[in-house]
Amino acid sequence: MLEFLLLLVCASILVSGVLAVCLKNVLPAMVASGLASLFAAVSFLLLAAPDVAMAEAAIGSGLATFIFLYAIRKTGNGKG
């Protein structure tokens, strides 16, 4: 069961990464990138590395996404 769940999360990372690259609008692409980082944090948690999962969730998914979204908001409307 754990292997199936891990494969599902890894597939979600791939899908959200491809979505982040293929989207034309910058704002949804950045949200998809943050979602990929959040799925990476979940995969670390499933692999029994809670310290790495917390760091990835806080920095990768949380802080980096917030900084990029703030920069997109300050520089324009996010149209690509």
Side-chain angles (χ1 to χ4, degrees), residues 14-32:
L14 288 174
V15 167
S16 56
V18 168
L19 192 63
V21 170
C22 292
L23 286 172
K24 299 287 184 196
N25 199 348
V26 178
L27 192 62
M30 189 57 231
V31 171

Side-chain angles (χ1 to χ4, degrees):
M1 181 67 184
L2 181 64
E3 291 86 11
F4 174 73
L5 199 58
L6 190 60
L7 283 174
L8 186 66
V9 170
C10 288
S12 300
I13 293 171
L14 288 174
V15 167
S16 56
V18 168
L19 192 63
V21 170
C22 292
L23 286 172
K24 299 287 184 196
N25 199 348
V26 178
L27 192 62
M30 189 57 231
V31 171
S33 174
L35 192 62
S37 185
L38 186 64
F39 283 133
V42 171
S43 71
F44 289 136
L45 189 62
L46 290 175
L47 291 171
D51 52 342
V52 179
M54 287 188 342
E56 177 67 30
I59 297 169
S61 183
L63 185 64
T65 303
F66 175 74
I67 289 172
F68 278 121
L69 289 176
Y70 180 75
I72 290 168
R73 183 172 178 235
K74 286 303 230 183
T75 57
N77 57 2
K79 300 281 191 227

